[in-house]
Amino acid sequence: MQRGKIFVVGFGPGDQEHITKRAIDALQQSDHIMGYKTYVELIEHLVTAKTIVSTGMTEEVSRAQEAVKQAEAGNIVSVISSGDAGVYGMAGLVYEVLIEKGWTEKEGITVEVVPGISAINSCASLLGAPVMHDSCTISLSDHLTPWTVIEKRIEAAAMADFVIAFYNPKSGRRTRQIVEAQSILLKYRSPDTPVGLVKSAYRDSQQIVMTTLAEMLDHEIGMLTTVIVGNSSTFFYDNKIITPRGYQRKYTLGDEKQIWKPHQRLKKEAEPWALDQETGEAKEGYEKIEAIKGKQEPTMVPAKRLQEAVNDEQSVSITASKKSSLEMAQMALACITKLPINSDFLVQQEIESIFEFAVSPGVANKMITPKQMMVIAEVVGENGTFEYTPDHRFNVKIPTENPKAIVEKLKETGLYVLPLGDVLNVKACDFCYGEKAESIPYAEEIMDKLVGMKLPKELHVGFNGCGMACYRAVFDDIGIVYRKKKFDLFIGAKPVGRTAHAAQPVAEGVEPDDLISLLTKIVEEYKENAHPNERLFKYFKRVKKIANFHYQDMSCKIKIEEAPCGD
Ligand code: SAH
């Protein structure tokens, strides 16, 4: 006799477009299909099974038992769940019935759980991108879970600033849970936190409501609704609910403010809502206010919003008359909740601008004076960072909207302030502590005329004051070496990786007076013609010629022996 099989199939939100191919295959292979009758109706037209058994909502255990019985008799059976069968669905129940009978994978019937799109995903897609960041699902059904446990989970998720998808939020008889859930959430989250209510996602009777934590109960919520509550940085935009991945934007000297590139956005510091890893405290800029809606629990509100609320005319007297923090918080909240929510209203985010740049004591000079060090420390302050780099300079990051004052202060002490990013940099040797100083003026001219020039990719010019080139100019994108009162020129090193190689020597004995114009020609040609992100060595290899210099392959062609013990 054929060995029986159970498919536990999640058929997604309910329409034909969002069911997986594997789910359809499973349903079509099945001799019997079993499920709650509303669900059976949704997939009936897709299948040719011999029998389709629809059962009532509460008959889940007997449905699972019947499925196991049929499979044990050698049949192929599908048990269906909406969404994903492993999310408040039939998958666990089928396994529980099997386990009770001593089932093992080796000897028992075959079981395959076919994944489906769960409500958290289908509903989120209709709202915009509300989930995006750390999230959880909580079922508000207390049929099988004690309410005290559910309450604790809501509290924990609210406290930890998870985006929350509430499943089974309400039914005809179960109406209190969502009210309780709202009041727990309000202890930790602003009343204007965006909330999405999605009923019957991707079914004919689909309904989408965008509301707020304060107002969510004014709308219809039922058995077929999923309630998605944003975290503290979720916002509305153009009739969508969006949870951002980051809040910082970076800029450097002479640059427009820019958003982070994707790989930078994934950094820990791009996540403002994260509490401090060590202390568990809120980040600077977010402040705890002592109470909300009369409850004595602390909550977090961005400091700026709180300040704005305090500045509002109805609360001008707050600071003067020394109101209690509770009163201040209540008045502040009153201001916040006045905010209208409609399709074109955009909640203001706390966007922090990070000004980043490099500082260096000079092109030849590597010495930083104590005074300069103190000024750097002063401008970096408590909130910035500075990092010493192999290029003999500090990379500095400071959250500020006033870069000018910082630059002036640093320049006053004789420091160079340089942009970061895809720009031209120059690194020179120390000219044997000034003993071989002859070519320093040329290095300084490069610093004055070309450093900071925007390019398709960062470009390092290495400048060394004698033929020893001990600062390894030949391992830079462009190497310039002063020798016998003239310059040797190298182009296109690849300093890292398995195929690393030195730059190609392209010219010897360049007259000092011609150096800057030749260098300018090379970088301008590269700037004009290179692809975005294409490093100089790649560009040179691709176009084969730069400023009349012809490309030669400098990469090492040594054959690598296979390991004697390798396959
Ligand atoms: N296994 C299902 C969840 C079953 S619990 C899944 O993974 O999606 C039932 C709850 O799921 C409902 O109360 C509702 O909150 C949610 N739900 C299921 N399908 C939905 C749909 N199409 N639209 C909105 N919510 C849905």
Side-chain angles (χ1 to χ4, degrees):
M1 192 178 73
Q2 177 195 347
R3 196 167 157 209
K5 176 164 182 174
I6 292 188
F7 288 106
V8 194
V9 179
F11 62 82
D15 71 329
Q16 209 163 313
E17 299 284 305
H18 293 89
I19 182 168
T20 67
K21 180 169 176 305
R22 184 65 189 155
I24 293 177
D25 285 351
L27 295 174
Q28 288 179 346
Q29 280 173 37
S30 297
D31 302 309
H32 306 288
I33 294 175
M34 293 169 190
Y36 171 49
K37 61 177 181 317
T38 315
Y39 297 164
V40 165
E41 281 160 24
L42 286 168
I43 52 101
E44 227 165 7
H45 61 289
L46 296 172
V47 298
T48 49
K50 275 184 232 145
T51 60
I52 302 182
V53 185
S54 349
T55 51
M57 187 81 169
T58 52
E59 296 156 45
E60 288 171 330
V61 178
S62 53
R63 197 184 307 153
Q65 284 166 335
E66 178 62 20
V68 168
K69 207 168 108 194
Q70 290 292 345
E72 281 173 345
N75 294 304
I76 301 181
V77 186
S78 275
V79 182
I80 60 167
S81 283
S82 71
D84 182 86
V87 181
Y88 317 117
M90 289 297 292
L93 209 50
V94 168
Y95 275 116
E96 282 182 58
V97 169
L98 287 168
I99 289 164
E100 210 163 72
K101 297 181 140 206
W103 170 89
T104 60
E105 184 147 49
K106 202 163 161 220
E107 274 149 30
I109 55 160
T110 311
V111 180
E112 179 179 334
V113 181
V114 181
I117 301 173
S118 188
I120 184 173
N121 307 117
S122 54
C123 297
S125 72
L126 292 167
L127 294 166
V131 175
M132 257 326 270
H133 209 257
D134 296 340
S135 63
C136 65
T137 65
I138 298 177
S139 168
L140 292 186
S141 166
D142 58 357
H143 285 316
L144 298 169
T145 311
W147 177 248
T148 48
V149 172
I150 299 172
E151 217 172 16
K152 216 179 268 172
R153 287 185 184 160
I154 301 168
E155 183 107 25
M159 196 187 298
D161 207 24
F162 280 93
V163 172
I164 307 171
F166 288 108
Y167 283 58
N168 301 307
K170 198 172 167 186
S171 71
R173 267 175 298 153
R174 229 170 17 78
T175 56
R176 278 300 305 160
Q177 285 83 349
I178 190 70
V179 181
E180 294 288 324
Q182 181 206 37
S183 91
I184 297 171
L185 283 161
L186 276 169
K187 292 198 289 183
Y188 302 93
R189 276 179 218 186
S190 157
D192 62 357
T193 303
V195 170
L197 311 175
V198 182
K199 185 184 162 201
S200 299
Y202 295 100
R203 297 184 197 165
D204 292 342
S205 49
Q206 172 180 298
Q207 269 178 30
I208 303 166
V209 175
M210 314 246 175
T211 176
T212 60
L213 189 53
E215 288 168 7
M216 61 186 256
L217 299 181
D218 302 343
H219 303 272
E220 186 199 324
I221 296 177
M223 285 259 286
L224 290 170
T225 309
T226 296
V227 178
I228 298 188
V229 180
N231 69 18
S232 63
S233 59
T234 303
F235 60 93
F236 288 107
Y237 179 80
D238 192 21
N239 212 22
K240 292 180 181 36
I241 297 179
I242 315 287
T243 300
R245 278 298 325 257
Y247 79 128
Q248 290 180 327
R249 52 187 180 175
K250 298 202 296 182
Y251 63 111
T252 188
L253 286 177
D255 211 356
E256 289 296 307
K257 303 247 166 85
Q258 56 188 323
I259 53 165
W260 281 21
K261 292 178 182 172
H263 69 281
Q264 294 167 319
R265 291 169 62 86
L266 295 175
K267 287 182 178 172
K268 190 179 79 188
E269 57 268 31
E271 299 178 357
W273 49 86
L275 300 180
D276 186 285
Q277 308 279 319
E278 273 88 46
T279 63
E281 285 297 309
K283 279 235 175 114
E284 190 105 4
Y286 280 70
E287 277 182 8
K288 273 187 186 170
I289 60 174
E290 292 306 323
I292 193 163
K293 286 206 162 171
K295 300 204 175 182
Q296 295 300 317
E297 302 285 344
T299 189
M300 232 78 84
V301 164
K304 198 167 144 225
R305 234 192 268 169
L306 185 58
Q307 192 55 49
E308 279 164 7
V310 170
N311 291 342
D312 190 274
E313 52 186 355
Q314 60 168 262
S315 41
V316 273
S317 60
I318 289 176
T319 34
S321 64
K322 288 202 177 59
K323 289 242 188 316
S324 74
S325 56
L326 174 63
E327 283 166 301
M328 269 182 74
Q330 279 169 341
M331 290 175 95
L333 275 164
C335 303
I336 295 165
T337 49
K338 269 195 330 203
L339 295 174
I341 300 294
N342 61 39
S343 60
D344 50 19
F345 176 70
L346 168 63
V347 174
Q348 274 302 304
Q349 287 298 288
E350 298 295 306
I351 305 267
E352 187 176 64
S353 301
I354 310 286
F355 177 44
E356 54 174 30
F357 56 92
V359 276
S360 142
V363 65
N365 175 30
K366 309 281 182 261
M367 306 283 190
I368 290 197
T369 65
K371 169 95 196 298
Q372 287 172 332
M373 205 66 186
M374 276 156 62
V375 173
I376 295 173
E378 195 187 311
V379 299
V380 167
E382 292 290 321
N383 299 325
T385 59
F386 69 118
E387 180 186 2
Y388 193 61
T389 76
D391 290 351
H392 299 285
R393 55 195 212 171
F394 288 104
N395 284 357
V396 183
K397 290 181 187 169
I398 306 174
T400 180
E401 298 288 349
N402 186 10
K404 225 165 153 193
I406 290 172
V407 172
E408 273 165 21
K409 215 164 185 180
L410 291 165
K411 281 188 171 168
E412 267 167 28
T413 65
L415 286 163
Y416 282 85
V417 183
L418 309 163
L420 286 178
D422 290 332
V423 293
L424 188 144
N425 292 311
V426 65
K427 183 174 110 183
C429 65
D430 60 24
F431 301 85
C432 295
Y433 292 105
E435 270 180 42
K436 294 183 180 169
E438 255 181 292
S439 61
I440 290 179
Y442 299 98
E444 281 173 345
E445 200 177 340
I446 295 172
M447 183 78 140
D448 292 340
K449 293 201 171 139
L450 295 174
V451 162
M453 181 181 189
K454 288 197 134 205
L455 294 170
K457 186 77 189 166
E458 60 178 324
L459 184 140
H460 296 272
V461 175
F463 191 109
N464 287 185
C466 79
M468 284 285 288
C470 64
Y471 269 63
R472 299 157 63 86
V474 301
F475 280 101
D476 279 313
D477 294 301
I478 298 178
I480 297 167
V481 178
Y482 187 65
R483 193 171 59 89
K484 296 186 180 164
K485 303 204 178 299
K486 293 189 180 165
F487 289 104
D488 295 343
L489 186 65
F490 301 79
I491 297 181
K494 180 173 185 288
V496 294
R498 269 183 84 229
T499 53
H501 58 76
Q504 176 186 331
V506 291
E508 275 193 346
V510 175
E511 289 296 335
D513 285 351
D514 297 337
L515 179 72
I516 303 298
S517 59
L518 180 56
L519 194 59
T520 309
K521 191 169 181 334
I522 293 168
V523 290
E524 279 186 347
E525 223 178 282
Y526 166 65
K527 179 177 180 164
E528 264 317 273
N529 303 317
H531 301 318
N533 280 321
E534 187 175 39
R535 281 202 77 142
L536 184 67
F537 79 88
K538 279 201 174 155
Y539 170 73
F540 197 19
K541 189 172 178 182
R542 178 169 66 84
V543 300
K544 303 284 187 274
K545 195 174 153 207
I546 187 164
N548 289 328
F549 301 127
H550 291 273
Y551 173 78
Q552 285 169 36
D553 191 353
M554 296 295 289
S555 57
C556 172
K557 290 280 190 271
I558 296 172
K559 187 175 180 308
I560 298 169
E561 295 297 330
E562 280 175 19
C565 55
D567 284 327

